[in-house]
Amino acid sequence: MQKTRYAAAAVAAVAALTLSACGGGGESADSGSSGEAGGGESLRIGIKFDQPGLGYDEGGSYSGFDVDVAKYVANELGVTEENIEFVEAPSANRENLLSNNQVDMIFATYSITDTRKQTVDFAGPYFVAGQDLLVPTDSDITGPEDLEGKNLCSVTGSTSAQKIKDQYPGVQLVEQPGYAECVTAMGGGQIDAVTTDDIILAGLAAQEANAGKFKVVGNTFSEENYGVGLPKGSDRCEDINAAITKMIEDGAWEEAITSNTEGADYTFNAELNPPTPAPCA
Amino acid sequence: MENYLSLFETYDVPAAFWVNIQLSFWAALWALALGTVLALFRISPIPSLQWFGAAYVNIFRNTPLTIILAFGFLGLFSVMQISLASELNVSLFRIAIVGLALYHAAFVCEAIRSGVNTVPLGQAEAARAIGLSFLPAARLIILPQAFRGAIAPLGNVLIALIKNSTVAAAGSVAAEASGLMKTMIEFRSDLVFPIFLTFALGFVILVIPVGLLTTWASRKLAVAR
């Protein structure tokens, strides 16, 4: 009898937790929409938590270029830094987070593509990245043409991995769950190069543990327009574009890039950057 | 609907599942061999072998598979530079098979041991009485009956193995189903749910026959006592 009572209590407790979790979710969704109507008090922003130099979780505080742009834009929208709630937005979840209204906007190396435009809206771009290579400092690889027969690492299911498969079939491609694993393997010497967008590579190379070991080749072979992901039909696009333009004009944009890639021997592609935000749909 | 069907023109879904089938097949063979040896260790009269069998099962059964496979890539391949083939992707494929086999061997061992428990003690005593030592007794008397009693739990291990083969993505076998699913979601974010359902259905189709077959075989081959 005693046992049954404990079991019943446990079930009740679990049920209560589940129910309150639901309630919590509902509330925050409400406050998000009321924020939208009233000019904005708090914002839930989706960022990457695992990409040094772009969106990186440093035990509760967040750093990186995406985070800096997000904070600047939020500030222009009238939301102070304390009122931003950063939410992890892994690549595969970004569309879902937006269409389920779990976040208000996403700054997470989010390339603007036509397929994605069918399910979400984009503001920006705020940066034009390009696929590039990260190689050991003493490597003589200068571009994708030199990769024939070499071991290249990228992330499973990423655009960068697919591009290599389609255009450079002679390359031996290793796919890993994350770029950190790729860089570790390259440190061990079994991998000759890591590929993805140049600014992501710069962020990896700028990490303290990797300082001086790797260099970004600087020969980009694609164009990725990083935009701000918004739920379909959002009315924030114009304001965000204005904020991005202002950030570029007052120099905060360039400062954010330089400070987040410090130590990586990286310069952004000046022909394409800074970009002009595209008109909102 | 047309949108959805176009997925199959761009992405070779059956080929991805074929990689999982190959992974499962080789890993199942190795796991069965290794698991049988481990089970012999555990029922042997030699304490050091018993201890080794128990230690192996406890370590591998209680380590997450993702960690074993990630170690295969980061530890064996990257740091210790162990290569199992001249071609990179073949090498990684084999390392993943080794990881899957090592992990599932622990479960195979326990399944066979449960089969051994179905063999009445009298069988072992009778074997001893006619002068068989441990190995011949195990080979001729105990294991044949134990396997027939262990078909259902072995089938469960095989089902788990087929589904766990998707974890090989952590060991860099990106051509397998869950890797392709990630690629498809990255490029076709407008069809996330249909893509998920396709792969879920694919695994159901793979696994159901295994379940039916082992249930049938365990009935058919059960030792009538």
Side-chain angles (χ1 to χ4, degrees):
Chain A
M1 197 59 216
Q2 195 67 15
K3 252 187 195 161
T4 349
R5 214 172 287 152
Y6 278 129
V11 169
V14 170
L17 281 175
T18 325
L19 290 174
S20 63
C22 287
E27 263 164 46
S28 59
D30 287 342
S31 69
S33 51
S34 71
E36 200 161 5
E41 292 159 350
S42 73
L43 271 179
R44 291 158 305 154
I45 299 184
I47 56 166
K48 290 278 176 74
F49 276 16
D50 58 352
Q51 274 180 2
L54 283 148
Y56 198 57
D57 181 359
E58 300 185 80
S61 72
Y62 305 97
S63 70
F65 176 64
D66 280 347
V67 176
D68 290 346
V69 178
K71 283 178 183 166
Y72 191 98
V73 168
N75 191 37
E76 290 297 307
L77 296 175
V79 178
T80 51
E81 215 177 300
E82 314 67 271
N83 291 327
I84 303 176
E85 187 197 335
F86 285 110
V87 179
E88 184 170 20
S91 294
N93 284 3
R94 292 179 296 203
E95 289 80 16
N96 283 335
L97 286 171
L98 287 171
S99 48
N100 298 340
N101 263 317
Q102 284 169 295
V103 294
D104 298 310
M105 53 184 70
I106 283 183
F107 292 76
T109 62
Y110 204 2
S111 305
I112 304 177
T113 66
D114 287 339
T115 329
R116 286 173 183 162
K117 274 188 193 164
Q118 291 176 16
T119 40
V120 298
D121 280 354
F122 282 103
Y126 58 91
F127 186 76
V128 183
Q131 189 171 351
D132 207 334
L133 302 170
L134 184 72
V135 294
T137 323
D138 56 1
S139 169
D140 47 13
I141 293 170
T142 55
E145 310 76 42
D146 298 340
L147 289 172
E148 194 72 26
K150 295 271 173 63
N151 299 345
L152 179 70
C153 190
S154 195
V155 163
T156 318
S158 64
T159 328
S160 321
Q162 194 60 39
K163 195 170 183 83
I164 293 291
K165 281 186 213 162
D166 293 345
Q167 297 186 1
Y168 303 95
V171 179
Q172 302 212 57
L173 182 67
V174 177
E175 292 181 59
Q176 277 292 300
Y179 293 109
E181 285 93 336
C182 280
V183 172
T184 311
M186 187 158 70
Q190 290 279 76
I191 298 289
D192 300 301
V194 176
T195 186
T196 183
D197 301 346
D198 54 355
I199 189 162
I200 300 178
L201 295 173
L204 287 165
Q207 266 185 309
E208 233 167 84
N210 299 332
K213 285 193 209 161
F214 307 115
K215 64 178 182 195
V216 180
V217 167
N219 178 5
T220 55
F221 48 100
S222 79
E223 242 181 68
E224 302 291 340
N225 291 290
Y226 285 179
V228 183
L230 295 167
K232 201 86 188 153
S234 167
D235 55 4
R236 287 204 175 105
C237 177
E238 307 277 356
D239 294 340
I240 294 173
N241 278 351
I244 292 169
T245 314
K246 188 175 169 201
M247 186 178 182
I248 291 168
E249 276 165 6
D250 72 9
W253 181 88
E254 189 159 349
E255 200 189 299
I257 291 194
T258 341
S259 70
N260 282 307
T261 56
E262 210 176 339
D265 185 22
Y266 166 77
T267 42
F268 58 85
N269 188 337
E271 276 172 41
L272 302 168
N273 283 298
T276 323
C280 294
Chain B
M1 193 61 200
E2 225 166 81
N3 234 343
Y4 173 68
L5 290 176
S6 72
L7 277 177
F8 291 91
E9 284 162 29
T10 325
Y11 302 100
D12 198 345
V13 178
F17 275 104
W18 178 236
V19 175
N20 286 72
I21 294 171
Q22 285 175 301
L23 280 170
S24 309
F25 177 78
W26 293 113
L29 278 190
W30 287 109
L32 186 63
L34 184 56
T36 310
V37 174
L38 285 168
L40 275 177
F41 279 12
R42 294 205 70 174
I43 60 170
S44 78
I46 306 165
S48 59
L49 289 184
Q50 286 173 6
W51 177 86
F52 177 84
Y56 182 98
V57 167
N58 281 315
I59 290 169
F60 279 89
R61 195 173 52 177
N62 297 320
T63 309
L65 181 59
T66 319
I67 289 180
I68 295 178
L69 290 176
F71 175 79
F73 177 77
L74 288 175
L76 297 184
F77 173 76
S78 307
V79 179
M80 291 158 77
Q81 319 225 330
I82 290 172
S83 177
L84 298 181
S86 55
E87 209 180 314
L88 180 76
N89 280 322
V90 179
S91 182
L92 290 171
F93 181 77
R94 290 186 182 163
I95 289 179
I97 289 175
V98 171
L100 285 168
L102 288 176
Y103 176 77
H104 289 92
F107 293 90
V108 168
C109 168
E110 291 305 270
I112 292 175
R113 223 160 57 96
S114 78
V116 170
N117 286 339
T118 66
V119 182
L121 191 60
Q123 297 278 329
E125 289 168 348
R128 185 94 37 92
I130 59 169
L132 293 175
S133 61
F134 172 70
L135 267 184
R139 189 169 61 87
L140 297 167
I141 313 287
I142 310 289
L143 282 185
Q145 298 182 63
F147 271 111
R148 291 167 66 169
I151 289 173
L154 283 174
N156 284 340
V157 175
L158 181 61
I159 288 172
L161 169 58
I162 291 172
K163 293 189 284 181
N164 284 345
S165 66
T166 52
V167 183
S172 263
V173 184
E176 57 82 45
S178 74
L180 182 72
M181 189 176 84
K182 271 193 176 172
T183 310
M184 288 166 74
I185 290 173
E186 168 83 14
F187 286 90
R188 298 305 302 269
S189 48
D190 51 330
L191 293 170
V192 172
F193 289 110
I195 292 172
F196 265 127
L197 291 175
T198 306
F199 282 91
L201 187 70
F203 275 101
V204 171
I205 291 172
L206 271 187
V207 164
I208 282 182
V210 177
L212 292 176
L213 198 71
T214 51
T215 310
W216 172 81
S218 71
R219 283 216 195 100
K220 176 100 183 157
L221 297 174
V223 183
R225 293 193 176 99

